[in-house]
Amino acid sequence: MSDRLTVSARTEIWPIAGSFTIARGAKREAVVVIAEVSDGRVRGRGECVPYARYAETPEHTLAQIQAAHVEDRALLAAAMPPGAARNALDCALWDYEAKAGGMSASSLAGRSEIKQVLTAFTISLALADEMAAKARAAKDFPLLKLKLGGEGDAGRLRAVRAARPDARLIADANEGWRPEMVVELLAACAENGVELVEQPLPAGEDAILVEIVRPVPVCADESVHTGADLADLVGRYDAVNIKLDKTGGLTEALIMADRARALGLKIMVGCMVSTSLAMAPALILAQDADWVDLDGPLLLARDREPGLTFSGAFILPPPTALWG
C-alpha cells in the first residue's frame, strides 16, 4: 500500500436465514472478510467471501490483504492472484477513490450510473416438494434460480414449474451432474422452460458440452475465473457467470465482461452469500448483464446497515455510505 494509505482487514460472520444448500453441501452462516483502506480522512471498504472450493480460507485471505503492498488498483493484478483477497482490496480502493474524488464509482469506471436491476432469488437444493413450496412462497420474485444436484433434478424441475407457472427459471447444478445425465437433464430443463443452466459438470470435465445439442443455454461458473479463461469456453458454453470473488475484483470483472461480449458470450453477474457491501460493486456490472443474481443479502438473517434496498425483486442503487 502507498505511504499515504493504510490497510486493515477483519473477519465477520453473518447468520443465514435457515440454511443454504447446494450440490456441494449446506451452511448456516456466511464468513466474510472486510478490507479497509484509509488516508486518515477518507475510508474505502470492500467485502469478499473466501471459498473452500478454490482452496481459500478466511485466515489466509486476511493474511494476503494485510501483506499487500500496492499503490493503486492498476498494480493489484501483478501483485496478487485473482480471488477473494484481491477482490476485497480492489473494491476497497474503488470505494476510496470514488469518495476521495467526489464522484460515483460508476463514473470513475466510465460506465452508466447505477439504476435498479431485477435479481434472481435462489431456491436451495432440497426435496422436490420443499423446493416447490419455497418457490411458491417467493411470489414476489419473477426470476428464480434453482439449485440442482443430479439425481432427482427432473422431479424438482417439474415440481417448481407446477408451483410457479408464471416464473422465469434458471438452474445451477454447481458441478453436480455426471456426463451420462447431461442430455436427459438438459431436456428436462427445456421441457420446464428453464432459460439457462449453470455449470452442470465439474470444471475440466465438460468436453461433452461440445459434442451435444444444448436445448438450453449453458453458463460457465467454476470453469471461468478471469478474462484469460474465456477463449477456451467458446463452443462449450453460451454464457459466463462473472463473480467479483473469482475475478479478483471489479477492475478485472469489467475487463472480463467486455471480452465476453466480444466473444459472443452472454453474461450473468453472480455472487456468494454475503452482505450488501459485496453486492454494491457488482451492480455496476449488472447494468448490462443478461441475468443478475445478487440476492446474497436476502439469504441472510440480517444485513449490514446501511445496506441495499430491495423493492420486491429489484435492487435499488447503493447509498454512498455503503459503497461507491
Side-chain angles (χ1 to χ4, degrees):
M1 196 61 59
S2 72
D3 290 339
R4 67 189 185 95
L5 289 181
T6 59
V7 61
S8 61
R10 66 181 182 275
T11 300
E12 296 178 348
I13 298 175
W14 295 82
I16 292 173
S19 66
F20 181 74
T21 305
I22 65 173
R24 215 170 277 123
K27 62 180 182 178
R28 294 187 176 276
E29 60 185 24
V31 180
V32 308
V33 176
I34 309 299
E36 292 188 357
V37 298
S38 175
D39 63 6
R41 298 177 302 104
V42 178
R43 179 186 64 159
R45 300 185 301 165
E47 177 179 321
C48 70
V49 180
Y51 195 25
R53 168 66 178 81
Y54 304 134
E56 295 174 332
T57 65
E59 295 78 13
H60 184 240
T61 300
L62 275 172
Q64 283 182 291
I65 295 170
Q66 291 165 343
H69 297 284
V70 292
E71 296 180 359
D72 56 44
R73 289 183 294 103
L75 301 178
L76 274 179
M80 300 176 73
R86 195 174 90 190
N87 173 37
L89 190 50
D90 180 76
C91 289
L93 286 167
W94 275 99
D95 188 33
Y96 169 81
E97 290 174 35
K99 288 179 167 61
M103 66 178 71
S104 67
S106 56
S107 295
L108 186 63
R111 304 288 171 124
S112 60
E113 287 300 310
I114 295 175
K115 298 178 181 178
Q116 68 176 20
V117 295
L118 176 76
T119 183
F121 182 74
T122 303
I123 305 296
S124 285
L125 178 64
L127 296 175
D129 289 348
E130 184 179 347
M131 291 183 70
K134 290 181 178 178
R136 194 178 297 112
K139 57 182 178 13
D140 294 332
F141 293 87
L143 176 61
L144 299 178
K145 179 173 179 175
L146 311 181
K147 289 293 187 178
L148 301 179
E151 298 293 343
D153 281 351
R156 293 182 179 99
L157 290 164
R158 288 192 296 270
V160 170
R161 175 50 75 200
R164 285 292 307 275
D166 61 307
R168 294 170 56 202
L169 301 180
I170 55 180
D172 183 6
N174 284 110
E175 304 179 284
W177 293 1
R178 299 189 301 274
E180 63 271 20
M181 296 177 169
V182 172
V183 171
E184 179 182 350
L185 289 179
L186 284 179
C189 287
E191 290 166 9
N192 288 283
V194 174
E195 58 189 58
L196 186 74
V197 176
E198 193 179 340
Q199 198 68 44
L201 293 161
E205 300 178 27
D206 50 9
I208 190 175
L209 295 175
V210 178
E211 304 167 6
I212 64 172
V213 175
R214 301 189 294 272
V216 176
V218 178
C219 177
D221 183 1
E222 286 85 354
S223 289
V224 60
H225 290 250
T226 69
D229 302 325
L230 291 171
D232 291 338
L233 302 182
V234 177
R236 279 185 291 164
Y237 292 95
D238 309 288
V240 294
N241 188 344
I242 301 177
K243 294 178 179 175
L244 302 190
D245 277 317
K246 292 189 303 177
T247 66
L250 180 61
T251 302
E252 172 62 24
L254 292 167
I255 295 169
M256 183 177 175
D258 290 341
R259 289 180 180 173
R261 290 292 189 201
L263 289 169
L265 294 164
K266 292 190 174 183
I267 293 171
M268 172 188 283
V269 175
C271 68
M272 307 297 286
V273 182
S274 44
T275 80
S276 285
L277 180 57
M279 305 300 117
L283 287 173
I284 295 176
L285 286 170
Q287 300 303 298
D288 300 314
D290 299 286
W291 299 273
V292 176
D293 177 29
L294 296 177
D295 65 341
L298 297 177
L299 305 175
L300 298 175
R302 58 183 175 84
D303 193 11
R304 68 176 70 249
E305 295 287 345
L308 291 170
T309 297
F310 288 80
S311 177
F314 286 92
I315 311 174
L316 276 57
T320 55
L322 172 66
W323 186 88

